[in-house]
Amino acid sequence: MTELHTREASTGAGDRSRPRAVLPALCATQITSWGVLYYAFPVLNPQITADTGWSTGATMAAFSLALVISGLAGIRVGRIIDHRGPRVIMTVGSAAGAVSIAMVALAPNALLFFAGWTLAGLAMSATFYQPAFAAITRWWAPDHIRALTVVTLAGGLASTVFAPLTAALADRLTWRATYLVLAAILAVVTIPAHALALRAPWPPAPPSSAQTEGTPRAVVRSRPFLLLALAFTLSALAMYAVVVALVPLLLERGFTTSQAAWALGLGGAGQTLGRTLYAALARRTGTTTRTVVLIALGGMTTAALAVTPGPYGLLLVVSIAAGVVRGNLTLLQATAVTDRWGTSHYGRLSGVLSAPAMTASALAPFAAALLAPPLGGTPELFGLLAALAMAAAFVAAGASPRGSKA
């Protein structure tokens, strides 16, 4: 066991622990956590509503509630990790995730269905990217981009692995049995991985850098921080609505559930490809320019999905392209705090920056289900989401801190 936490390497800024088991463990747990807690739902939701008689709006509201809770709880999770490290909170989050999905699977009524997703939201806040990013940034800074890229490369495979896997299970089992199988996979993979691999001593926070102007409270209240939070919020609303609405879009255009699931899954493969490009992009572009361009590209790929009725192969290409952009956006958000304000208070600042974006992503499934009918269909919804992403790019243009590289 000591091998899991005693191997270290120099960061170039003093000796700081870099436990080698952390990266492979977080790769496995990000794939599994996102796959079970997030990507399985859009595949199973049509069966859930058909079997239970609950409306799509109601089931989407339960899923959205989980994401809202995740965003709000993430602020507290970031502070805890800053002070105590990630091991306990991510292990407890993994256990809560498995229990929550079992609750969802066994829920006899909508009230317990909502209760299961409420617990799932707490689990998400403790197991998704933000706590993993906080751990990596502390253990690997200042060379954290490479480590973040490795973990997000793996996380990008969550939909690639779990969307088709969920569809295959659902073809043979009920949605309830499928979720029970997925809950067991979540428990077996993530609980021991977090408990054993994150045992390394938690290094002290590095001293505040010159990039950090004042206290974390002052940073949070600054104009660049507020504009960046708004830009990420609008972008997240558009991006996550696209992810959840992609399956309904393809079903509406006459494709099968399996074909729609593969389009969603290959979009995840695109995310993985996109993340391999981010380090080179970061070296060649300024912080603000990179932010504006990537958010705008998200709007363009969403518009392409809105106006492309087929053929299926072309839709797959567009879905992969959209995934490439999403993959870069994930790393853009992961490095937003360190690029502008340093690493000293990463967990806290990242939690606050991410909270409104997570809330927007939480509302995205419900908003998509609510807006598509009055807009005239899912293609029209995608047109609105594209406009929203372009507005986010405009806001991001004004979010450059003084003295930063544009």
Side-chain angles (χ1 to χ4, degrees):
M1 295 298 178
T2 57
E3 192 175 10
L4 290 174
H5 62 275
T6 58
R7 295 178 182 175
E8 299 179 356
S10 173
T11 64
D15 291 332
R16 302 176 67 194
S17 175
R18 283 187 175 182
R20 296 182 184 179
V22 166
L23 281 183
L26 288 179
C27 287
T29 60
Q30 289 300 304
I31 291 174
T32 310
S33 297
W34 277 96
V36 174
L37 292 170
Y38 190 90
Y39 285 107
F41 177 77
V43 177
L44 291 177
N45 194 44
Q47 292 186 28
I48 294 172
T49 56
D51 177 58
T52 61
W54 303 330
S55 69
T56 299
T59 56
M60 285 291 189
F63 186 60
S64 295
L65 175 64
L67 293 170
V68 168
I69 292 171
S70 175
L72 296 177
I75 298 174
R76 180 61 179 166
V77 167
R79 291 186 180 185
I80 292 172
I81 292 177
D82 273 347
H83 289 92
R84 302 180 184 177
R87 183 193 178 203
V88 172
I89 198 160
M90 295 192 78
T91 303
V92 171
S94 297
V99 171
S100 70
I101 293 302
M103 287 177 62
V104 168
L106 299 173
N109 53 53
L111 180 62
L112 290 178
F113 186 80
F114 269 77
W117 282 112
T118 298
L119 181 59
L122 294 173
M124 292 174 185
S125 73
T127 59
F128 276 9
Y129 278 142
Q130 289 308 315
F133 290 164
I136 289 170
T137 299
R138 177 71 65 88
W139 269 317
W140 265 262
D143 301 322
H144 53 284
I145 290 182
R146 285 181 292 180
L148 290 171
T149 301
V150 170
V151 171
T152 55
L153 282 174
L157 295 174
S159 62
T160 307
V161 173
F162 277 90
L165 173 61
T166 301
L169 289 171
D171 284 341
R172 295 163 177 80
L173 304 170
T174 66
W175 70 269
R176 294 181 186 275
T178 298
Y179 257 144
L180 287 175
V181 172
L182 293 175
I185 293 173
L186 183 66
V188 169
V189 173
T190 64
I191 295 174
H194 287 147
L196 298 176
L198 304 181
R199 298 176 64 190
W202 190 234
S208 297
S209 69
Q211 290 176 280
T212 304
E213 297 181 6
T215 65
R217 184 185 296 272
V219 171
V220 167
R221 293 179 176 179
S222 67
R223 181 176 181 272
F225 189 94
L226 294 174
L227 287 177
L228 187 65
L230 177 58
F232 282 166
T233 299
L234 295 175
S235 176
L237 180 59
M239 180 172 66
Y240 283 96
V242 166
V243 170
V244 173
L246 183 61
V247 169
L249 176 72
L250 269 66
L251 293 177
E252 188 173 320
R253 286 174 167 164
F255 299 101
T256 67
T257 299
S258 179
Q259 287 175 314
W262 273 105
L264 180 63
L266 288 174
Q271 290 180 195
T272 301
L273 173 62
R275 288 162 187 168
T276 65
L277 307 175
Y278 184 79
L281 181 65
R283 288 193 298 269
R284 290 171 172 78
T285 59
T287 301
T288 302
T289 299
R290 184 164 64 251
T291 302
V292 172
V293 169
L294 288 174
I295 293 176
L297 285 173
M300 293 176 190
T301 55
T302 301
L305 287 168
V307 300
T308 306
Y312 180 65
L314 181 57
L315 283 168
L316 290 181
V317 171
V318 177
S319 181
I320 292 170
V324 169
V325 177
R326 287 199 304 273
N328 277 279
L329 284 170
T330 300
L331 281 168
L332 178 75
Q333 294 182 34
T335 57
V337 169
T338 51
D339 284 347
R340 294 166 173 83
W341 299 286
T343 62
S344 300
H345 305 284
Y346 180 89
R348 180 175 180 178
L349 293 178
S350 182
V352 175
L353 183 66
S354 301
M358 283 295 294
T359 301
S361 68
L363 297 174
F366 182 71
L370 187 68
L371 291 174
L375 287 173
T378 312
E380 290 76 11
L381 170 67
F382 272 59
L384 176 63
L385 296 174
L388 196 63
M390 298 308 294
F394 178 79
V395 172
S400 178
R402 286 177 296 173
S404 69
K405 181 183 175 183

